[in-house]
Amino acid sequence: MPMPRIRVALQQSAVCIAGTEPVLKIKDQQTGEVATDRETGESLYTVTVMLMEDGRAEIMKITVPQSGLAAGLQPGAVVRPVDLFATPWARIFNGQLSDGVAYRAARLELVVTEVAQ
């Protein structure tokens, strides 16, 4: 049964800051198989982002296809996730329940911020 995809709408005041460089997503740790987009076959990358909104900060790992990574994306860059979706997941591994939310964006755009003079 497919997991539900939930569109995530960020407030206008939300700020997202990249915390890591893009990291190639590995589908199978034992074989080293790279995760790819089901439709395009493109390699997938994960970027850790700090989302600051309403006086709170949360860490999110967002999966993005290679073509959706902005040139010059590096830690500390202000980014805007485009077409951001959340997919809740749960699994039992070694008798323990693990659950969470997977985030996926079509792309991460760099946000140009103006410096006050």
Side-chain angles (χ1 to χ4, degrees):
M1 181 167 104
M3 298 297 269
R5 286 179 16 138
I6 303 162
R7 181 177 292 277
V8 177
L10 300 176
Q11 295 179 14
Q12 289 285 357
S13 61
V15 176
C16 294
I17 299 174
T20 63
E21 291 184 8
V23 176
L24 192 59
K25 187 170 183 171
I26 304 299
K27 180 178 182 178
D28 185 328
Q29 295 294 331
Q30 292 181 343
T31 66
E33 181 182 359
V34 173
T36 57
D37 183 274
R38 289 183 182 141
E39 294 176 13
T40 66
E42 249 186 292
S43 295
L44 297 174
Y45 286 77
T46 301
V47 179
T48 300
V49 172
M50 181 173 20
L51 166 65
M52 294 179 289
E53 189 175 54
D54 290 336
R56 296 185 348 252
E58 298 197 29
I59 303 296
M60 303 168 56
K61 287 187 176 182
I62 301 176
T63 299
V64 183
Q66 186 172 13
S67 64
L69 297 171
L73 178 60
Q74 59 188 5
V78 179
V79 296
R80 177 181 305 115
V82 175
D83 291 334
L84 181 62
F85 285 87
T87 303
W89 61 270
R91 69 176 179 199
I92 296 176
F93 184 74
N94 289 335
Q96 298 283 339
L97 175 65
S98 296
D99 62 353
V101 178
Y103 293 96
R104 173 80 184 260
R107 65 184 183 277
L108 291 177
E109 295 179 343
L110 292 179
V111 175
V112 178
T113 56
E114 293 184 23
V115 178
Q117 298 200 25

